[in-house]
Amino acid sequence: MYTELTCDCKEDYKEIIIAELAEIGFDSFMDDELESFFYAYIETVNYDKKAVDELSLRYDMADFIYTTKEIAKENWNIEWEKNYDPIEVEDQVYIRAHFHEPQPSFTHEIVITPKMSFGTGHHATTWQMVKLQLDIDHKEKDVLDVGCGTGILSIMAAKLGAATVRGFDIDEWAIENSIENAENNGFPRIRFEIGTMDSLQINGTYDIILANINKHVLTAEIPSYVEHLKAGGYLLLSGIYEHDIADIEAICQSIGLTKHKQIVKTNWAALVFGK
């Protein structure tokens, strides 16, 4: 089961409240057609009402109020289809559902159908990662997608010409969804697995490593990413707030990485490092 929060707050506070909810375990977010509302989702076993209530009190100036209901995983697509709008990244990438009309004016199109997996493209970090991918040469490169979610970043890598793409996630639904989305986009050879950097015992090295997770996981795993990054390769990181940039930079620079680029969108940050 999943717990759905229907959240209402002042527009200026929406993104920061989404960021706060992500910090306490919510992993999927959608806007309502009514712009003042958004939805947040978390597995019911991980839902902490006290933490959400404390958040509501802390942001009383934002008029933050919420209601909850439980939904079964199999009903996720129904909830999602009611609220999902296509995503545009830099007029180059169009991320849509199967029930949206194609937009041939875009260079790349990704069609997804999430099943309670994080990474529909609506969250700022997914958008940022796709934007950063557009600036990096993927042709004939080996790519590793850490925490693949719906598989958007893996599919994007394949569309940009990657030779091999491997993605993994700790959520079984994420893997099932990534496989389905990759097949529907014409990339059945993308390899998706359940697990972590440690449990999968990743071997070999990669030209590009994509990690859109959270600060806690990134700070613990960055040394492992670097171990599996080829000389001259790129490490793309997101899932952190703007105020976390300095901490991530310090870790990366201490192990020999050079920062090439950073972007910030609604308090979220994404970084590119080179080895």
Side-chain angles (χ1 to χ4, degrees):
M1 296 292 292
Y2 269 75
T3 295
E4 175 191 77
L5 260 63
T6 301
C7 305
D8 188 14
C9 65
K10 292 179 180 177
E11 182 66 24
D12 289 345
Y13 287 87
K14 184 162 66 174
E15 288 295 339
I16 193 166
I17 289 174
I18 288 174
E20 293 276 13
L21 289 170
E23 280 289 292
I24 57 175
F26 287 82
D27 59 10
S28 296
F29 304 90
M30 295 189 301
D31 279 325
D32 190 88
E33 292 179 0
L34 300 174
E35 293 186 358
S36 62
F37 286 88
F38 68 89
Y39 300 93
Y41 298 89
I42 188 171
E43 284 195 78
T44 300
V45 295
N46 297 325
Y47 174 55
D48 184 346
K49 184 178 186 302
K50 181 180 178 181
V52 179
D53 286 340
E54 290 175 351
L55 181 63
S56 180
L57 289 173
R58 193 158 70 250
Y59 285 93
D60 61 341
M61 78 292 286
D63 297 332
F64 174 42
I65 58 174
Y66 71 92
T67 58
T68 65
K69 73 175 182 180
E70 289 191 349
I71 59 172
K73 281 186 174 181
E74 56 266 26
N75 293 332
W76 165 243
N77 283 352
I78 296 173
E79 297 294 326
W80 175 71
E81 289 185 13
K82 290 192 302 185
N83 303 289
Y84 184 80
D85 293 320
I87 302 301
E88 300 177 10
V89 182
E90 294 294 289
D91 297 323
Q92 294 187 60
V93 184
Y94 190 65
I95 303 170
R96 68 174 180 87
H98 60 83
F99 50 83
H100 293 129
E101 289 295 321
Q103 294 292 332
S105 62
F106 286 81
T107 306
H108 306 286
E109 185 174 76
I110 297 175
V111 182
I112 64 168
T113 304
K115 294 180 178 177
M116 285 314 308
S117 305
F118 177 73
T120 62
H122 285 77
H123 195 275
T125 60
T126 307
W127 187 95
Q128 287 174 311
M129 290 290 280
V130 172
K131 174 178 169 56
L132 291 175
Q133 283 182 273
L134 291 170
D135 296 330
I136 293 176
D137 182 10
H138 285 60
K139 292 180 181 178
E140 299 305 315
K141 306 297 185 183
D142 297 316
V143 178
L144 182 67
D145 184 3
V146 181
C148 58
T150 56
I152 284 179
L153 303 185
S154 290
I155 295 168
M156 190 72 250
K159 282 184 172 290
L160 292 173
T164 67
V165 184
R166 180 182 185 183
F168 60 88
D169 201 291
I170 60 173
D171 188 332
E172 180 180 354
W173 278 65
I175 298 305
E176 291 179 7
N177 193 207
S178 292
I179 292 171
E180 178 183 352
N181 288 331
E183 290 176 348
N184 289 341
N185 282 273
F187 299 104
R189 295 180 63 182
I190 295 177
R191 178 183 177 185
F192 292 109
E193 302 167 278
I194 298 173
T196 65
M197 288 291 291
D198 289 336
S199 68
L200 291 174
Q201 298 181 331
I202 303 296
N203 295 316
T205 55
Y206 295 83
D207 299 287
I208 300 169
I209 297 180
L210 312 166
N212 180 21
I213 311 179
N214 60 56
K215 182 182 178 182
H216 175 72
V217 175
L218 292 180
T219 54
E221 294 189 348
I222 284 174
S224 183
Y225 303 156
V226 175
E227 179 184 346
H228 295 284
L229 187 64
K230 293 179 182 179
Y234 294 98
L235 174 62
L236 281 64
L237 305 174
S238 195
I240 61 170
Y241 302 136
E242 184 176 7
H243 63 249
D244 294 323
I245 291 176
D247 292 340
I248 297 299
E249 279 186 359
I251 295 170
C252 290
Q253 290 173 356
S254 71
I255 50 180
L257 295 181
T258 301
K259 190 176 82 170
H260 291 302
K261 189 173 185 179
Q262 74 176 49
I263 56 176
V264 176
K265 179 180 172 67
T266 57
N267 297 313
W268 292 95
L271 309 167
V272 179
F273 290 91
K275 183 176 181 180

